[in-house]
Amino acid sequence: MRVWSVLLILPLSACMTVLPIEQIVLDAAQTSAGGAPTQAAPPREVAYAGSESFAVLLNDERGGLNLVAVVPEPRLTEAAQSHAEDMATNNYLSHTALDGSSAADRALEVGYDYTFIAENIAQGFYSEQAVMEAWMNSPGHAANILDGRAEDFGLGLDGDTWVLMLGAER
């Protein structure tokens, strides 16, 4: 059983409020209409954090709503990659790191002073297309991807652990 949680981080003022909005539980045994597994196991396509191919997938989704294209941001990629590595190494899946840091904390730690920040996480997906499809089929994750305030993104990947950070800088 896979558990996903989503954070929606509201436009931040001095209060820096982070609100959990949704938790989704997906059974790894879910199947498509034809009875075939929805997720193929390895061998897997190798994805690179902040890769051009992921930007195309991300902006194709946003373009359907005439939203501005988001661009790779090295600091968000650094924060996302660090969190993906931590979760993979320590065998957990959470928006809150073992040190207690949130996505907002991680963005600030790498020098990304934001007006908007959001994070999607996932585990058990072996291609960019599979993780994007799963996120777009989840209302909370899709809301983050399609948020009109987002201008930048960073993608982290370690094995099958994914972190997508979306943001807008001051």
Side-chain angles (χ1 to χ4, degrees), residues 73-89:
E73 210 307 322
R75 292 166 296 169
L76 289 181
T77 298
E78 178 184 346
Q81 185 62 36
S82 175
H83 190 47
E85 290 171 3
D86 181 51
M87 289 190 296
T89 299

Side-chain angles (χ1 to χ4, degrees), residues 14-118:
C15 66
M16 301 235 345
T17 304
V18 179
L19 301 174
I21 62 164
E22 181 176 2
Q23 185 173 43
I24 302 164
V25 178
L26 295 178
D27 183 28
Q30 286 181 320
T31 58
S32 67
T38 57
Q39 176 70 36
R44 69 175 183 264
E45 170 186 325
V46 176
Y48 299 97
S51 70
E52 187 174 309
S53 59
F54 191 82
V56 170
L57 290 173
L58 187 59
N59 286 314
D60 279 352
E61 295 294 345
R62 293 176 59 81
L65 296 177
N66 294 318
L67 297 170
V68 66
V70 291
V71 296
E73 210 307 322
R75 292 166 296 169
L76 289 181
T77 298
E78 178 184 346
Q81 185 62 36
S82 175
H83 190 47
E85 290 171 3
D86 181 51
M87 289 190 296
T89 299
N90 294 296
N91 197 28
Y92 74 100
L93 183 67
S94 176
H95 291 285
T96 303
L98 295 179
D99 66 3
S101 65
S102 67
D105 297 326
R106 291 186 288 278
L108 291 172
E109 185 178 302
V110 296
Y112 189 83
D113 185 21
Y114 57 87
T115 58
F116 167 76
I117 196 79

